[in-house]
Amino acid sequence: MLRLAVLISGSGTDLQSIIDHRNQINGEIALVISNRKNAYGLQRAQDAGIKNLVIKNQDELLNTLKEEKIDFIVLAGYLAILGKELIDTYQNKIINIHPSLIPSFCGPGMYGLHVHEAVLKRGVKVSGATVHFVSEEVDGGPIIWQEAVSIADLDTPEDIQKRVLEVEHKILPEVVQWICDGKVVLEKGRVKIR
Ligand SMILES: Nc1nc2c(c(=O)[nH]1)N[C@@H](CN(C=O)c1ccc(C(=O)N[C@@H](CCC(=O)O)C(=O)O)cc1)CN2
Ligand SMILES: NCC(=O)N[C@@H]1O[C@H](COP(=O)([O-])[O-])[C@@H](O)[C@H]1O
């Protein structure tokens, strides 16, 4: 059974979606780590009986992940850019959920509401969410799964965020379950679900 660490920075609704599905997931949410002490996701972890820590320094983060014998890392609204050492140590063992259909509206500076503000400004009629492997290139890692959603009837970034979060809360636990079941295969930079 994989020992999972979920990294957060904020309210933790993506984390909660994994917690809510943990009985279907053949992995243990062993640790929740936030880089912000006021992240409500820490309370969600506490309420679920999951060990939770605040760690801002990436060297300390990597040491803690090793000490806790973490096998796989899920970035769930984690708003810091991971460095080369951590990514090399956990190569193809880190996933991230992003609130757009990558390669659109992603990369440095594209996080949280900023994404949906850019989506609204551009006037696209479809958005969605993407789960991808994490590489040194921000949001540039191999795409694992995506789901689109119509936003043609929405007029504010907050409404778009709300609708996209519904998709996030569906696909993130699904992908975590597939990973824990060994169904996610990366071949020549392209992901297949067995
Ligand atoms: N090396 C990588 N690190 C991270 C990745 C990645 O793919 N490779 N994914 C991001 C998650 N993310 C979008 O999905 C993302 C997070 C944060 C930022 C960003 O610009 N952050 C700001 C600071 C924000 C803050 O602290 O308020 C910044 O670093 O200047 C962009 C994309 C997680 N890490
Ligand atoms: N680029 C990363 C990024 O923007 N991540 C986004 O932060 C939000 C976290 O919400 P949560 O704290 O309620 O899970 C989610 O919408 C997630 O896609």
Side-chain angles (χ1 to χ4, degrees):
M1 180 179 275
L2 291 182
R3 283 177 59 82
L4 307 170
V6 182
L7 275 49
I8 64 169
S9 297
S11 60
T13 65
D14 280 328
L15 164 66
Q16 190 65 55
S17 73
I18 302 169
I19 292 171
D20 293 346
H21 287 82
R22 60 182 164 175
N23 291 336
Q24 290 78 43
I25 294 171
N26 187 28
E28 176 194 5
I29 310 171
L31 184 59
V32 170
I33 297 175
S34 174
N35 65 336
R36 296 180 181 177
K37 67 179 187 310
N38 60 349
Y40 185 69
L42 293 165
Q43 186 61 54
R44 295 179 191 272
Q46 193 69 22
D47 293 347
I50 299 168
K51 184 175 181 179
N52 56 95
L53 302 168
V54 177
I55 301 177
K56 295 176 185 288
N57 175 280
Q58 289 215 12
D59 290 338
E60 185 185 349
L61 173 62
L62 182 52
N63 289 336
T64 303
L65 292 166
K66 290 176 179 177
E67 285 163 10
E68 293 287 336
K69 297 180 172 44
I70 297 300
D71 301 303
F72 205 95
I73 301 164
V74 180
L75 306 186
Y78 185 69
L79 301 185
I81 306 302
L82 294 180
K84 178 173 172 34
E85 187 181 7
L86 200 154
I87 288 173
D88 287 348
T89 305
Y90 283 92
Q91 191 165 33
N92 297 325
K93 303 287 186 190
I94 311 173
I95 63 171
N96 177 58
I97 186 152
H98 182 75
S100 78
L101 296 175
I102 289 174
S104 299
F105 307 106
C106 64
M110 276 291 165
Y111 58 91
L113 213 54
H114 298 303
V115 174
H116 308 296
E117 288 165 349
V119 161
L120 190 67
K121 185 177 179 183
R122 185 63 184 84
V124 296
K125 305 310 175 189
V126 174
S127 191
T130 302
V131 182
H132 63 93
F133 283 111
V134 169
S135 64
E136 284 189 74
E137 180 190 355
V138 177
D139 300 333
I143 291 171
I144 301 169
W145 201 251
Q146 298 181 293
E147 186 166 317
V149 64
S150 171
I151 58 166
D153 62 322
L154 301 177
D155 300 316
T156 70
E158 291 77 11
D159 286 343
I160 296 170
Q161 180 177 53
K162 183 169 182 289
R163 186 167 290 178
V164 170
L165 274 167
E166 290 170 6
V167 171
E168 294 181 44
H169 299 160
K170 172 176 175 289
I171 68 172
L172 183 57
E174 272 180 342
V175 171
V176 172
Q177 184 174 345
W178 293 341
I179 283 169
C180 291
D181 290 342
K183 292 182 176 180
V184 178
V185 180
L186 181 57
E187 292 170 347
K188 298 174 187 153
R190 185 174 168 81
V191 176
K192 297 271 180 70
I193 311 297
R194 281 193 298 213

